[in-house]
Amino acid sequence: MDLRFAAACCSRIAAGLLVLVLSGAAQSQDLRTSQVARISLTPVGGYTFGGKFRDAGGAATAETQDSPHVGLILNIRESANTQWEVFYSRQKTEADLGHSSAGNAPVDLDLQYLQIGGTYVAHGGRARPFLAATVGVTRFGPDPLTFEADNFLSFGVGAGWQLQYSERLGLRLEARLLGTFLRSDTALFCRTGPEENVCAIAADSDMYWQARTSLGLEFRF
């Protein structure tokens, strides 16, 4: 009777220790995985479409040409499904000014976005859909600086897929809509000096819209 009781007690103790060991191992694995996937850095490239300015009369006086872009996205994991996001993008393009006081020749334009926000990543296996929302600044920089540069408040919303090939490497496919807030009396591409004081565009629109598709290689740390 005593031997049976002792054996039962030993069995229960052994089972309890086994549960504790397995639980600790699982927690260690979760901690290791979360540390690996805490930060991701994604160089991206793709193509940008659209972008128009309108004058006070309502006619389109300037349109930026569709062209490639490059960028960098930093994500910091907040929870299993949410991430902080810092988004930077640069597009080399031309602004076709049409018949304006600054002349008919197109202006080389260095268009940059710097925004911060968040990303929601849905549950999934190797392919996980996501939604992103960011706010920040858009910089219109004529290149070379024939005209003055301008900065405006902007925002972006995007959606796509995160494709995970390993714990540290993956792909990011996304489409993003970018909107820039313009004042109704915005003057763009201005030249000032002792001999002339002229602006190419007197914008009468409140928003400047662009859409883009991107592909990036995601590195996780």
Side-chain angles (χ1 to χ4, degrees):
M1 193 68 178
D2 292 339
L3 291 177
R4 291 180 180 179
F5 179 76
C9 290
C10 290
S11 298
R12 291 178 181 178
I13 293 173
L17 290 175
L18 181 60
V19 169
L20 290 175
V21 170
L22 292 177
S23 176
Q27 291 177 358
S28 299
Q29 178 66 21
D30 291 341
L31 179 60
R32 185 182 66 83
T33 301
S34 64
Q35 288 175 344
V36 169
R38 176 67 176 171
I39 298 175
S40 67
L41 192 63
T42 311
V44 299
Y47 211 76
T48 299
F49 307 89
K52 287 185 178 181
F53 304 98
R54 295 187 180 276
D55 66 2
T61 58
E63 181 175 358
T64 50
Q65 301 298 313
D66 300 344
S67 65
H69 68 264
V70 295
L72 192 65
I73 300 175
L74 171 67
N75 288 106
I76 302 174
R77 193 169 73 86
E78 176 67 18
S79 69
N81 297 99
T82 58
Q83 303 170 343
W84 293 104
E85 177 166 300
V86 179
F87 165 79
Y88 171 77
S89 176
R90 185 175 188 180
Q91 177 194 8
K92 292 280 192 177
T93 184
E94 289 184 346
D96 185 5
L97 302 181
H99 299 283
S100 69
S101 57
N104 298 332
V107 174
D108 292 331
L109 184 62
D110 186 5
L111 188 57
Q112 300 182 63
Y113 292 91
L114 179 60
Q115 299 179 348
I116 186 171
T119 301
Y120 175 81
V121 184
H123 292 289
R126 292 187 177 273
R128 303 179 66 188
F130 70 87
L131 297 174
T134 52
V135 294
V137 177
T138 303
R139 179 176 178 82
F140 296 93
D143 186 22
L145 292 176
T146 308
F147 302 96
E148 297 175 358
D150 293 282
N151 301 311
F152 298 97
L153 179 67
S154 63
F155 70 94
V157 290
W161 294 85
Q162 291 182 359
L163 308 178
Q164 184 173 344
Y165 289 101
S166 69
E167 288 183 346
R168 296 187 178 273
L169 187 64
L171 287 177
R172 179 183 177 119
L173 304 172
E174 76 164 41
R176 190 177 293 242
L177 179 66
L178 296 164
T180 300
F181 295 97
L182 303 177
R183 299 181 300 274
S184 59
D185 58 348
T186 296
L188 291 168
F189 309 117
C190 297
R191 274 198 302 249
T192 58
E195 298 182 357
E196 63 177 352
N197 188 354
V198 62
C199 295
I201 303 169
D204 193 34
S205 54
D206 295 325
M207 295 296 300
Y208 173 85
W209 295 102
Q210 285 193 308
R212 58 180 51 193
T213 57
S214 301
L215 172 65
L217 185 60
E218 186 177 22
F219 300 94
R220 301 186 185 92
F221 305 93

